[in-house]
Amino acid sequence: MTSDDMDGIFGKNHSLLITNVVVDTKKVDIVIDEKGIITSVGEMAGKAWKGDEDFLIDGNGALALPGLVNTHTHAAMTLLRGYADDMILQDWLSQKIWPLEAHLKPEDIYWATKLACIEMIRSGTTAFNDMYFMMDQAAKAVNETGIRAVLSYGFIDLFNAEKREAECKATENLAAHIKSLDNPRITAAVGPHAIYTVSPEGLKWCAEFAQQQKIGIHIHLSETEKEVTDCVATHGKRPAAHLDSCGILTPRTVAAHCCWLDDAECRLLGERGVSAAHNPVSNMKLATNRAMPYADLKAAGANTCLGTDGCASNNNLDMLEEMKVAAILQKFFWNNPTVLPAPEALAMASANGAKALGLPTGRLVAGVPADIILVSNRDACNIPLHNATSNLVYSTNGGSVETTICNGRVLMLDRGIPDEAYVLNGAAEAAVALVERAQSG
Ligand SMILES: CSC[C@H]1O[C@@H](n2cnc3c(O)ncnc32)[C@H](O)[C@@H]1O
Ligand SMILES: [Zn+2]
């Protein structure tokens, strides 16, 4: 069963009332109309509600937050979780990840993305920015699940003109397919993988196509020092300047990692209005050896946001955990405990993330689509509650999320997700079959 076929509170087109939740230290009710829009947030907001009692959620004092936004992931890599760890990035990709990915089938992408959606819903993410292959299958999974996503085909031309033509076609096909779905929760982006896998001609084509279609660009940028030295040796300029000369740096661009940017590159990203997606867990695990220069990017006016990267390098999709690691990595690496305070980490994972993906969400106010999560105030890690933002960033993780709502649809209620066991089973079987196929050649 897909969430579209569901009845009751998990079905669609109902007005919802959430009572007794904490927003910004105040106890409030939240009213959502049948179109999935928040109509009021306030102490007495529920009094005038005329909906059906079956659609009343007692928040029980939980903390209500905007749904979290994961601005850089490869959702279908859930199938590769734990397949290759503790390796150098280039070896990890070329010796383990890419050879296994060569055996992926469309149905694997479907099951893996369904699994990723469940993991995200469970840990409070309501929107994600995804780059991978066979993305029509990812779109099918997202469409059924009820979450929000920006989907890009991972464009890799390996500096080969014939391959480039095929990658352009695949990018055009995905954009057309997503348009045909006519689902406001799903949008397309262009996904040039990185400067070391995409030619300048490929990058220019991506920039022009994104501009013509008015869609976003999703790219890996300066994850490793080698990427910078190779770029300077080949193009005579650093990666951000190279991307700028190809038209890739725009207000609709999300650049993932940004570990090795220098001061001038931070200023360039700020001037162009780029969103820089910090991926601290993946960076630490793959030892990129430098943390994104958060303070410099912020000072330059770039939009800083947060992502998990894929499950082969994280190895989960928990944005609450990612906030904590971001906040503590920034302090540790830049040797300054005042860098990235808790409220800024929370903003990176919510309002800034929504801005990066061009979404109207990321805030709990009347008039915006209801992407809302409720985090338990009774779990041990949330007691005492001197400061909710502190607890959210430093002491909780995704396991404390009780209820997740996206676009006014309830996707998880009191930690229950319909059809979860069926999806977990399907994904587990797909992962075993994938590795068996790879091992038998
Ligand atoms: C072309 S689809 C995405 C492509 O990116 C690969 N990938 C996953 N994690 C990383 C990373 O940290 N740096 C660079 N590339 C990465 C993934 O395996 C897919 O092949
Ligand atoms: Zn990535």
Side-chain angles (χ1 to χ4, degrees):
M1 192 193 291
T2 74
S3 60
D4 279 341
D5 309 319
M6 271 165 206
D7 291 328
I9 200 152
F10 292 106
K12 56 183 174 186
N13 304 335
H14 309 291
S15 170
L16 293 172
L17 169 63
I18 308 172
T19 58
N20 193 18
V21 287
V22 176
V23 174
D24 296 334
T25 74
K26 281 201 204 79
K27 272 254 166 87
V28 297
D29 302 331
I30 303 175
V31 182
I32 301 163
D33 71 12
E34 58 289 341
K35 293 194 180 109
I37 305 293
I38 299 174
T39 53
S40 53
V41 179
E43 276 172 61
M44 296 291 168
K47 286 268 181 274
W49 186 66
K50 301 245 177 326
D52 183 333
E53 290 285 306
D54 287 350
F55 304 114
L56 188 156
I57 298 171
D58 180 358
N60 236 330
L63 308 176
L65 294 178
L68 304 177
V69 182
N70 186 344
T71 57
H72 176 66
T73 192
H74 312 283
M77 291 187 86
T78 46
L79 243 47
L80 283 72
R81 188 194 329 260
Y83 178 73
D85 299 310
D86 314 322
M87 295 179 73
I88 290 167
L89 197 151
Q90 288 309 333
D91 296 346
W92 173 76
L93 277 176
S94 61
Q95 293 169 18
K96 299 293 288 190
I97 300 300
W98 285 338
L100 188 60
E101 285 179 339
H103 293 272
L104 283 168
K105 290 181 171 175
E107 56 267 35
D108 296 328
I109 305 298
Y110 171 76
W111 284 113
T113 309
K114 288 281 273 192
L115 172 62
C117 290
I118 286 197
E119 195 179 344
M120 288 190 266
I121 290 165
R122 204 158 257 306
S123 53
T125 290
T126 52
F128 66 103
N129 192 27
D130 201 33
M131 178 204 290
Y132 215 56
F133 319 105
M134 301 178 234
M135 294 301 280
D136 56 325
Q137 296 297 312
K140 182 173 173 228
V142 171
N143 199 13
E144 289 176 2
T145 310
I147 198 168
R148 229 179 259 286
V150 177
L151 305 177
S152 52
Y153 170 75
F155 185 117
I156 295 185
D157 69 11
L158 298 175
F159 305 85
N160 171 306
E162 234 171 80
K163 180 113 178 73
R164 181 158 57 252
E165 214 172 292
E167 296 299 88
C168 297
K169 198 82 221 127
T171 300
E172 287 170 343
N173 287 346
L174 179 67
H177 176 66
I178 288 178
K179 233 184 223 169
S180 77
L181 294 177
D182 194 24
N183 182 337
R185 289 185 288 100
I186 309 177
T187 49
V190 176
H193 173 259
I195 59 169
Y196 55 89
T197 46
V198 185
S199 64
E201 295 80 5
L203 291 169
K204 282 178 193 157
W205 184 88
C206 287
E208 278 161 26
F209 186 69
Q211 163 72 19
Q212 177 212 324
Q213 297 283 313
K214 303 271 173 287
I215 58 178
I217 300 174
H218 183 185
I219 189 165
H220 295 93
L221 169 61
S222 291
E223 186 176 6
T224 63
E225 189 174 22
K226 182 175 183 319
E227 187 177 331
V228 179
T229 45
D230 288 354
C231 183
V232 173
T234 311
H235 303 289
K237 46 190 154 196
R238 291 179 65 92
H242 174 54
L243 287 183
D244 197 39
S245 68
C246 297
I248 290 286
L249 300 186
T250 78
R252 281 201 292 261
T253 303
V254 177
H257 301 297
C258 297
C259 304
W260 284 90
L261 299 183
D262 71 8
D263 291 353
E265 289 179 295
C266 290
R267 287 195 297 275
L268 182 55
L269 262 61
E271 276 162 29
R272 298 287 182 263
V274 169
S275 292
H278 190 18
N279 292 259
V281 173
S282 172
N283 294 162
M284 290 169 75
K285 184 161 183 265
L286 289 166
T288 59
N289 210 17
R290 193 169 190 265
M292 183 179 95
Y294 169 77
D296 294 337
L297 281 161
K298 183 184 156 210
N303 180 42
T304 54
C305 47
L306 210 52
T308 57
D309 213 346
C311 272
S313 62
N314 186 300
N315 291 6
N316 65 39
L317 301 171
D318 185 338
M319 286 290 288
L320 281 152
E321 185 179 286
E322 205 72 31
M323 284 196 285
K324 173 173 181 170
V325 178
I328 61 179
L329 172 63
Q330 286 295 322
K331 291 164 186 33
F332 179 77
F333 187 84
W334 300 106
N335 193 23
N336 181 349
T338 71
V339 177
L340 192 43
E344 292 179 27
L346 187 54
M348 285 174 85
S350 50
N352 299 8
K355 182 179 174 194
L357 304 192
L359 302 175
T361 58
R363 293 171 310 140
L364 292 190
V365 293
V368 312
D371 287 17
I372 302 173
I373 62 170
L374 306 184
V375 180
S376 169
N377 64 333
R378 295 179 304 279
D379 284 1
C381 60
N382 236 342
I383 295 170
L385 199 69
H386 294 305
N387 178 327
T389 305
S390 167
N391 282 12
L392 286 164
V393 173
Y394 293 121
S395 68
T396 58
N397 60 35
S400 286
V401 177
E402 295 178 322
T403 293
T404 300
I405 296 170
C406 180
N407 212 30
R409 285 277 289 283
V410 179
L411 305 183
M412 176 169 79
L413 182 67
D414 294 334
R415 295 187 159 102
I417 301 178
D419 285 340
E420 181 173 16
Y422 173 71
V423 173
L424 302 196
N425 205 35
E429 283 176 6
V432 170
L434 169 65
V435 174
E436 277 173 5
R437 272 200 307 281
Q439 280 167 352
S440 63

